[in-house]
Amino acid sequence: MSKYSYKEQKSQELEQHVAEALRQDLDAAVTPSDPRLDASGMSEKELFSFAKHDTKDSERIGFSEYSYWRSTLRTFLQNKLAVTLMFVMCGLLLFTFIQPLLPGQSDPNMIYFKESGAAMSNQQPSSEFWFGTNNAGQDLWSRIWAGTRTSIFIGFVVAIVQAVVGITIGVLWGYVRKLDFFFTELYNIFDNIPSTIVLILLSYILNRNMGTLIFSMSITGWLGMARFIRNQIIMIRDRDYNLASRCLGTPIYRIILKNLLPYLVSVIMLRMALTIPSAIGSEVFITYIGLGLPVEIPSLGNLVNTGRALMTSPDLRYQLIFPTIVLSIITISFYVIGNAFSDAADPKNHR
């Protein structure tokens, strides 16, 4: 055996002896003298005692700083144009409803007469009549704001009715498979009838009032909302969390309210925001063909229709310009705000 091989063998034996000695010392140090203690020196009672559970601490650990509505609002506020138009729209709506309460405001159907007894018809805008008078001698300022109130009321009611009916039918249509055939056939029946024809026929047959207009616009207006909702529901109804909810026996109404509708906020808000100017436009159209509200009920449709007949007269164009400006502000504002909120409500755009 060589000199180096003998040294390596002795070195390995020494390392083994040292490791064995350290292992024995460690075992002697941790071995409990009391048989009721385990190797770690803890008693059976200490080993199997129940850990304390604090619900508040658990919720605090699982809490996320993300908030859907806060993120939606923050994203919406980043759109400067939409925010500006929202303030303009809110100011216009507020003034529309407080205008009759201001001092010096006249009745929109009141006719003004001159000292000679003739009606003050087609008076140019002045300090007495800010927007002038119409051909009957009525204050156009009061009639425009009264007409705005009427048109906005019609638009909001139609939007709410279409949203309620469209969401209800769309959710049932997309989620309850047994109802798919029924709602599909119902949709095909209504969709094959032009909505304009329905609007004209009902306005011609029934009495000319706001109830008739609202009913005519709502009877087919739910189709677009229901179709969008149904398509969205089909895409998310079989996801894992919905399958888990069904396996746990969660009622259908809770699955719809908790699992499905929150994903449809952007679609619903966009459709409602666009329904309001669309309803006002339909009211203007039906008045244009002579089936709208009677003249004694001021509306933007009546005012635009009256001003349209005077458009060829340069001195009387103000009767078309002023109501058209108000109508344009409402239409553009709702369109921009609706699109901006729809984008903001999409979680993909949240940061």
Side-chain angles (χ1 to χ4, degrees), residues 5-62:
S5 299
Y6 178 79
K7 287 184 178 181
E8 290 176 357
Q9 181 179 1
K10 289 298 183 180
S11 177
Q12 292 177 358
E13 291 177 355
L14 180 61
E15 291 177 358
Q16 293 177 358
H17 287 304
V18 171
E20 184 66 24
L22 290 175
R23 189 180 303 109
Q24 292 177 358
D25 292 342
L26 181 61
D27 292 341
V30 301
T31 300
S33 57
D34 190 342
R36 293 174 299 177
L37 301 179
D38 69 339
S40 61
M42 299 179 65
S43 65
E44 182 178 351
K45 182 177 180 181
E46 292 174 338
L47 284 173
F48 293 96
S49 59
F50 290 98
K52 295 181 179 180
H53 174 70
D54 191 342
T55 306
K56 294 183 178 180
D57 289 340
S58 300
E59 292 180 354
R60 190 178 301 110
I61 293 173

Side-chain angles (χ1 to χ4, degrees), residues 50-120:
F50 290 98
K52 295 181 179 180
H53 174 70
D54 191 342
T55 306
K56 294 183 178 180
D57 289 340
S58 300
E59 292 180 354
R60 190 178 301 110
I61 293 173
F63 176 75
S64 174
E65 294 183 357
Y66 172 78
S67 172
Y68 173 79
W69 291 110
R70 186 169 60 246
S71 299
T72 299
L73 179 61
R74 182 172 59 249
T75 305
F76 176 79
L77 294 178
Q78 293 176 356
N79 191 324
K80 303 302 182 182
L81 177 60
V83 173
T84 302
L85 289 177
M86 184 181 66
F87 280 108
V88 172
M89 192 66 205
C90 290
L92 187 145
L93 293 177
L94 181 62
F95 182 78
T96 297
F97 288 96
I98 67 173
Q99 180 267 334
L101 306 177
L102 298 176
Q105 302 300 311
S106 61
D107 187 280
N109 290 321
M110 179 183 295
I111 298 177
Y112 289 87
F113 296 92
K114 300 178 181 179
E115 295 180 357
S116 60
M120 301 177 65

Side-chain angles (χ1 to χ4, degrees), residues 22 36 88 101 132 143 152 173 179 187 226 245 254 273-274 291:
L22 290 175
R36 293 174 299 177
V88 172
L101 306 177
R143 289 188 66 81
I152 289 177
W173 186 8
L179 299 176
Y187 174 85
S245 296
R254 286 186 61 85
L274 298 181
L291 298 175

Side-chain angles (χ1 to χ4, degrees), residues 142-159:
S142 300
R143 289 188 66 81
I144 285 178
W145 297 119
T148 303
R149 288 192 297 272
T150 301
S151 297
I152 289 177
F153 175 78
I154 293 174
F156 271 102
V157 173
V158 170

Side-chain angles (χ1 to χ4, degrees), residues 296-310:
E296 58 269 16
I297 301 179
S299 70
L300 291 178
N302 278 334
L303 295 170
V304 171
N305 187 46
T306 302
R308 177 191 58 82
L310 304 172

